Amino acid sequence: MPGSYPAELLETLSQRALEMRRNILRMTHAAGSGHPGGSLSATDVLAALFFHELRIRPEDPAWKDRDRFVLSKGHAAPALYAAMAGRGFLPPGELLTLRRLGSRLQGHVDARKLPGVEASTGCLAQGISMAVGMALDARLDGRPSRVYAMIGDGECQEGQTWEALMAGAHYHLDNLVGILDRNGIETDGSTEEIMALEPVEAKMQAFGWHTLSIDAHDFPQILDAFAEAKRTRGKPTMIVAHSVKGKGVSFMEGKAAYHGKPPTDAELVRGLRELGVES
Amino acid sequence: MPPRRVESLRDAYGKTLVELGEQDPRMVVLDADLSGSTRTALFGKRFPDRFFNVGVAEQNMISIAAGLSTGGRVVFASTFAVFAAGLAYNAIRQSVGYNRANVKIVATHGGLTVGGDGGTHQMLEDVGLMRGLPGMTVVVPADAPETAAATRFLHASEGPAYMRLSREGFPVVTDGTFHLGRFPVLRDGSDLTFLANGVMVARALDAADRLAAVGIQARVLDASSMKPLDESAILRAAKETGALVTLEEHTVLTGLGAAVAAVTAERYPVPVRRIGTPDVFGESGDPWELLDHFGLGVDRVVDVAWDLLRERGRVA
Ligand SMILES: Cc1ncc(C[n+]2csc(CCOP(=O)(O)OP(=O)(O)O)c2C)c(N)n1
Ligand SMILES: [Mg+2]
């Protein structure tokens, strides 16, 4: 049953996501490299997690009972850093140090440097396995922590992703929630043309997960999915979040070219204008 | 010295693949969702039927490559160094190495000069991992022309091979030939020897220029043939110059420095200084700034050489 959410909450999430998108463009532009496409497709889900769902304490990032979020598709680092900055884990001004020598904001998310990042990732498919381990850890301790992990669809071509799914189901980890950022695009082009995944939701279901499909850019659907995962007992939940790569910036939407290419000076101005910033 | 021309090693690789594909219908190329970056897309565009982009699945790619080679095809497989030697290590070890498959693994984006992607992507251990595999040929070219020559050489030779390329273009320093098991002398000298590979060859030449300005003649060897090594060139350098400095964009624990030190320790002990990354992971940054930061800058090379000569009483 779809929940109804206060207009205020939905408005807050939209505003947070909008600010994140602006920062993703600014950060990757300043760095001169990085991955805007998969950051923008993940933005709304991350906004829902960091500004509503996750039980975390920015002032005490090591709080034992916190929920965990693992960005298994570690190249979407700009989206995670933007969310964490909005939540107070780091000053927003620090965002522009992305990828610079000495920065806490490494090109792929780095738990060694930035408190609040739960796992260093970058080499795809390991984050989801680490999330399985974190969910087991919470269960062994009897902690209420829930573990969320976001994976990419190209990332699903790695065998390890399926090893992790098998394990999550085998151990009945109902404190584990996967989010598949199903934007249909990997580095070289369309996932279905390169190495087809469909029917991906049925495959995950066959691997023993509770699954559901949502629009990754619709906050009520995202929040409903988190609630459904919480109600699900005895198995982990995979939210297949149908998204648009480059979402919110028209010339990046649906384009593999912006997987790993930052905006140029002119594109930054144009993109920010589309996101409501006049220069 | 006029500045040297900078050329992309991966462009040279991609173009050479196409050239070889025209000549040899047995040529097959694989990639794992990085074909634009590794430049195998050039081959894929020209010969779509002989190109397989298997998606983000490096272990699968390597073992498929080994299977494809069993009927006499010549197979090239590419991805970034950290996903080839790192992620797919056992697929390389068993499917390619143990099976003696005729597969050429050409890994781009080796070392610190990967830059912004950071420590998870900066592969500093691949040469050591690959050299340890019985029967594996290992090549680390210094520049684009040597890359093209080595690609042709690997195509023509039989058996497993690993070649490490870079994201960044490097200065052109070689004569564009490649000789397995031989270290070309790029500059002769008798006071000490620099043995370098990859981007560090250009830096060794720069350091040699600086030393020449104060009357010290350094020999510079291009150690692109990391397996087999040119043991006779190493021993000749030890005997004739008496002091060796190794330079690599790789951990000193398991790369060129370790190999040269082992050869000299057993056969003709002389002082050896290893320049490379210490026992640390890399981090994000500008590629050239990172080389300086981790002790691979030309100033540092000159300092290390100077200290070594002073210890030996050659300079005051
Ligand atoms: C094991 C591994 N292989 C290759 C890469 C290089 N790489 C980075 S992102 C990417 C494509 C990922 O596609 P997808 O999971 O769909 O990411 P998204 O579309 O969400 O950005 C690749 C191949 C990597 N990071 N890790
Ligand atoms: Mg994708």
Side-chain angles (χ1 to χ4, degrees), chain A residues 35 99-102 106-108 112 121-124 154 157-158 186-188 194-195, chain B residues 33-36 53-58 83 87 116-117 120-121 281 283-285 290:
Chain A
H35 299 82
R99 290 177 164 244
R100 296 235 186 97
L101 186 57
Q106 295 291 294
H108 291 76
R112 296 154 56 99
T121 54
C123 191
L124 292 166
Q157 293 162 343
E158 286 286 356
E186 50 189 305
T187 313
D188 284 345
I194 292 168
M195 187 55 63
Chain B
D33 193 35
L34 292 169
S35 68
N53 186 343
V54 301
V56 195
E58 295 79 10
F83 309 128
L87 193 157
D117 276 349
T120 55
H121 283 53
F281 289 110
E283 63 177 278
S284 289
L290 283 167

Side-chain angles (χ1 to χ4, degrees), chain A residues 151-204:
Chain A
I151 58 177
D153 45 9
E155 186 175 10
C156 289
Q157 293 162 343
E158 286 286 356
Q160 183 168 353
T161 301
W162 301 92
E163 296 168 29
L165 296 187
M166 211 181 312
H170 184 80
Y171 297 126
H172 305 288
L173 294 173
D174 52 18
N175 56 348
L176 175 63
V177 183
I179 301 135
L180 167 56
D181 187 6
R182 183 70 170 117
N183 57 30
I185 293 177
E186 50 189 305
T187 313
D188 284 345
S190 140
T191 58
E192 298 315 284
E193 282 167 26
I194 292 168
M195 187 55 63
L197 293 167
E198 289 300 328
V200 71
E201 187 178 348
K203 284 176 184 163
M204 291 175 162

